[in-house]
Amino acid sequence: MSGQSLLVPGELSPARSVPGNIRRPEYVGKPAPTPYTGPEVQTAETIEAMRIAGRIAAQAMEEAAKLIAPGVTTDELDKVAHEYMCDHGAYPSTLGYRGYPKSLCSSVNEVICHGIPDSTVLRDGDIVNLDVTAYIGGVHGDNNATYLCGAVDEESRLLVERTREALNRAIKAVRPGRQINVIGRVIESYAKRFGYGVVRDFTGHGINSSFHSGLIIPHYDSPHATTVIEPGMTFTIEPMLTLGTHDYDMWDDGWTVVTKDRKRTAQFEHTLVVTDSGADILTLP
């Protein structure tokens, strides 16, 4: 594996502003969102609105990813995604969610998820996850992907490639009438082929007018994930695979989650709607 030194927190830039004409999610300015009490199965109108939000989120992520290169800061990536979403009438869902200070999550190397963009400078050989969610039309679209920065070692490159494949396999496993745990079963069985850890405490989730509806999508074979999949359900699948343990530590910022053994980790995510025959990806650019 790459001999990169471990990450340390950088300096945060001032909060970015969002034009006043862009609709905010209800949780902005509050310590926590109002708990969602609506259905997991969405109307056709909500699904089409989510397709718009998902497309903007996917395009914002793509635009930010174009900048990934040695010498670029994660804050610069945040700026690009923030401006893209605002320019397209969307609010960056993470900005102000439970106090989160930025418009995307940038998780580098040993960071599992929720890394905060700051003055951290990307290095040749890093792997970088970008997690972008857009809110527009009263709904959210959430996606993430892991990118290679410069010349990445083979072990890390394979981890990234196989994590993407784990997501693809999980999406193909979605069928009405199956239980949610089929998703985690597929991911875990694939990851075990390579000796990868599968993160358990951070999961996929229901998403709609709520950023996190309360529906949980484990990425391992959980005996508790017995909810039956139905057409019209909308949720994310976002496996996090590691080169070592699935155990983790959290930085003092209350957000940044790192592998306990500090080995590398990768993640990919799409927002989906369940159809009569499978799943349709809503986060396509």
Side-chain angles (χ1 to χ4, degrees):
M1 193 182 79
S2 169
Q4 299 282 43
S5 58
L6 298 178
L7 293 169
V8 295
E11 296 295 322
L12 287 181
S13 65
R16 295 193 160 88
S17 62
V18 177
N21 64 319
I22 292 178
R23 178 179 173 184
R24 272 74 169 152
E26 59 82 23
Y27 52 74
V28 174
K30 296 165 55 177
T34 302
Y36 179 72
T37 56
E40 298 297 345
V41 172
Q42 304 304 309
T43 65
E45 291 76 16
T46 296
I47 291 165
E48 287 313 302
M50 289 181 66
R51 199 180 301 277
I52 293 169
R55 183 168 64 246
I56 292 173
Q59 290 171 333
M61 185 174 72
E62 277 199 344
E63 288 302 306
K66 289 177 183 177
L67 264 71
I68 291 174
V72 174
T73 67
T74 54
D75 189 65
E76 290 175 80
L77 305 179
D78 182 78
K79 181 176 185 288
V80 170
H82 176 93
E83 292 179 351
Y84 186 94
M85 285 185 273
C86 291
D87 287 348
H88 289 80
Y91 185 92
S93 299
T94 59
L95 184 61
Y97 179 79
R98 297 183 181 271
Y100 188 83
K102 291 296 176 180
S103 299
L104 58 69
C105 298
S106 55
S107 301
V108 181
N109 296 344
E110 70 269 18
V111 179
I112 295 171
C113 58
H114 305 158
I116 300 174
D118 58 18
S119 61
T120 296
V121 177
L122 298 178
R123 301 162 298 182
D124 187 53
D126 284 342
I127 59 173
V128 187
N129 179 272
L130 300 182
D131 193 336
V132 180
T133 309
Y135 177 80
I136 188 171
V139 297
H140 301 268
D142 184 3
N143 69 160
N144 77 55
T146 303
Y147 300 90
L148 309 182
C149 181
V152 173
D153 66 275
E154 183 70 358
E155 185 179 39
S156 299
R157 188 191 65 77
L158 285 172
L159 173 69
V160 171
E161 179 183 301
R162 290 164 177 167
T163 305
R164 182 191 290 111
E165 176 63 15
L167 172 60
N168 291 340
R169 288 173 180 239
I171 292 170
K172 290 175 183 175
V174 174
R175 291 284 187 282
R178 293 179 174 177
Q179 294 183 343
I180 289 290
N181 59 13
V182 70
I183 294 168
R185 189 178 311 132
V186 166
I187 292 168
E188 188 173 40
S189 63
Y190 179 69
K192 278 184 174 179
R193 293 190 199 176
F194 313 105
Y196 295 155
V198 180
V199 173
R200 291 173 168 243
D201 289 354
F202 300 90
T203 68
H205 53 89
I207 183 170
N208 39 64
S209 60
S210 172
F211 194 171
H212 300 87
S213 72
L215 176 65
I216 301 299
I217 312 295
H219 301 122
Y220 64 99
D221 188 4
S222 169
H224 306 293
T226 56
T227 299
V228 175
I229 298 170
E230 299 178 57
M233 278 185 167
T234 49
F235 53 80
T236 72
I237 303 176
E238 45 188 297
M240 291 150 265
L241 305 187
T242 72
L243 288 175
T245 182
H246 63 75
D247 293 329
Y248 65 91
D249 294 319
M250 187 175 287
W251 283 4
D252 291 342
D253 61 21
W255 285 103
T256 306
V257 179
V258 296
T259 54
K260 186 169 280 293
D261 58 12
R262 302 304 190 265
K263 291 186 177 180
R264 288 187 168 191
T265 176
Q267 182 184 19
F268 284 84
E269 173 187 23
H270 275 306
T271 295
L272 313 171
V273 59
V274 181
T275 66
D276 288 337
S277 58
D280 187 12
I281 299 172
L282 298 178
T283 39
L284 292 176

